[in-house]
Amino acid sequence: MTVTPLATSPFHVPRVIAHRGACASAPENTLAAFRRAHELGARWVEFDVKLTADGRPVVFHDNTLDRTTDGSGPMADTPLAALGDLDAGKWFDPDFAGELVPTLEEVLDLLVEMDLGANMELKPCPGREAETAAVALDVARGLWPTEAPPLLMSSFSRVALDTARQIAPQWPRGLLVEALTDDWRAAAQEVEAWSIHCAQDPLGPAAVAEMLDAGYRVMVYTVNDPGRALNMWDWGVHAIFTDRPEVLLPLAGT
Ligand code: G3P
Ligand code: MG
């Protein structure tokens, strides 16, 4: 077991993390969403990274462009230059027309400028797991200040996490799961995870206790309901990913 004991951990994760930026009040994974998270008082944000056709890391959630831009088709077939023609804001609200799909470099620069911490979710398009982790880690290590707390890496992809472990073993890793399966401990040990990031449904207090007893930080996505968040914190959950940091921050107590 290589989990860093919580008592000696050098990392501090706040109780509230703005999911895809403050994505209830600005278009997800855009610079506007990260600025909004900062304005609302969040100390950390979560964002998703995947690669364009020409292998550049961009901050984007879906495998296709259709839902959150005015373009269409797979991100994996779209070169970075073509993304510059797409609007990633007006689908959310006309006030955000002109927002672009940001590069990883642009997002990290902005976070450094605003002094925000972050969870970088490696969200590879199918078949690009190791490549996505390698490119994203390479860019992040070049830009992220060495004196700042490291980025927390996470992924549903064990290949991506294991690649991150090999490239930057000193940066913490979070294993993303939709539910705790029988093999969760083996998966967490394989990638030397520091935290487990679970979907809020069907998570209950027994599963949280199981992860805490094993020495992991526990983070839960995506919780927007204040009562649910209070329950989670009572169970010992360390951090909650929320689309509405302005709702949960006043309750978080830290
Ligand atoms: O990292 C937590 C959460 O973002 C995982 O799910 O689909 O919102 O990226 P998703
Ligand atoms: Mg995510």
Side-chain angles (χ1 to χ4, degrees), residues 14 29 31 66 77 94 110 128 171 175 185:
N29 283 327
L31 297 184
D66 302 54
D77 293 347
L110 179 65
R128 304 186 83 179
W171 279 13
L175 177 70
R185 286 170 192 267

Side-chain angles (χ1 to χ4, degrees), residues 54-71:
D54 44 348
R56 300 310 307 157
V58 290
V59 174
F60 199 77
H61 182 275
D62 294 1
N63 285 334
T64 60
L65 302 169
D66 302 54
R67 181 178 64 89
T68 59
T69 78
D70 57 356

Side-chain angles (χ1 to χ4, degrees), residues 156 175-181 197-203 221:
F156 289 102
L175 177 70
L176 264 162
V177 295
E178 287 178 354
L180 268 198
T181 52
H197 303 194
C198 305
Q200 66 151 326
D201 186 23
L203 192 67
Y221 66 92

